[in-house]
Amino acid sequence: VVYKKGAWVLHMLRILTLDLATMNEDRFNGIMREFYQSYQGRRASTDDFRQVVERHLKTDMRWFFDQWVDGAAIPTYRVASTTVPADGGQYQVKLKVKQEGVPDGFQMYVPVTLDMGKGQLYRFRVKLKGPVSEIALPPVPARPKSVKFNDLEGVLAEVKNESWGS
């Protein structure tokens, strides 16, 4: 993992900045372009890179760099999901996620994809923070064929599926 960690950090940042509705990567490409143009032929630090990321995302990303660049913890996610009827003939997917192997304040945004069949996908990003997160996704028009937690391998983590009653 240590050998490949730099690549994983960039991949996670790419997925974190991905527009899940369009799969557009312009934000990530803009970050990389600015960093390259600003520091081409010069020394650059991790903090320099973080500042470029923050300019593009317009938010403090210290948590991400503290956890994934400076830290060594890799989460295990124990995931249970259920689908329940919602108003108007729609359905809602609920997730229970246990986050293990990391400090209590560890947080991450994890991609979740609902496969409705026939190539129709609904993509969401869920925030996990602390030992247990319970999340209700927005309603969708039909019962999903499958729920893919940590789709696109967006987070360096081990995912273990569990039954809803666990």
Side-chain angles (χ1 to χ4, degrees):
V1 171
V2 172
Y3 179 74
K4 297 177 181 178
K5 189 170 180 184
W8 264 106
V9 168
L10 286 176
H11 175 70
M12 288 188 293
L13 185 60
R14 177 179 157 253
I15 299 303
L16 189 60
T17 61
L18 182 67
D19 181 330
L20 294 177
T22 64
M23 301 304 280
N24 183 298
E25 297 184 60
D26 286 350
R27 287 196 302 178
F28 180 75
N29 292 338
I31 289 167
M32 299 307 289
R33 187 177 307 107
E34 179 184 335
F35 185 71
Y36 174 77
Q37 290 171 347
S38 297
Y39 294 97
Q40 181 181 8
R42 298 177 40 215
R43 288 182 187 256
S45 68
T46 302
D47 198 51
D48 293 328
F49 183 61
R50 180 185 55 78
Q51 290 175 29
V52 171
V53 170
E54 289 178 347
R55 272 197 298 281
H56 282 260
L57 301 184
K58 297 175 179 40
T59 191
D60 182 355
M61 292 296 290
R62 194 171 309 273
W63 65 270
F64 180 86
F65 285 82
D66 287 349
Q67 291 177 172
W68 294 107
V69 177
D70 299 330
I74 297 174
T76 295
Y77 296 127
R78 296 187 180 278
V79 182
S81 67
T82 189
T83 302
V84 297
D87 292 341
Q90 295 191 318
Y91 291 85
Q92 185 171 48
V93 172
K94 295 182 179 185
L95 302 169
K96 282 188 211 172
V97 184
K98 296 175 189 170
Q99 185 171 237
E100 301 172 343
V102 293
D104 282 348
F106 194 92
Q107 69 176 20
M108 193 57 188
Y109 295 86
V110 181
V112 177
T113 299
L114 306 182
D115 185 343
M116 309 303 284
K118 298 182 183 175
Q120 185 178 21
L121 303 173
Y122 286 91
R123 291 189 165 98
F124 303 96
R125 190 173 282 117
V126 298
K127 180 180 181 180
L128 305 179
K129 186 172 185 177
V132 178
S133 297
E134 294 190 22
I135 300 146
L137 297 179
V140 292
R143 182 177 293 275
K145 304 284 184 215
S146 68
V147 177
K148 173 81 172 160
F149 183 85
N150 196 24
D151 197 16
L152 310 169
E153 294 186 3
V155 179
L156 174 58
E158 183 175 359
V159 176
K160 296 181 178 180
N161 293 306
E162 298 188 340
S163 64
W164 183 254
S166 300

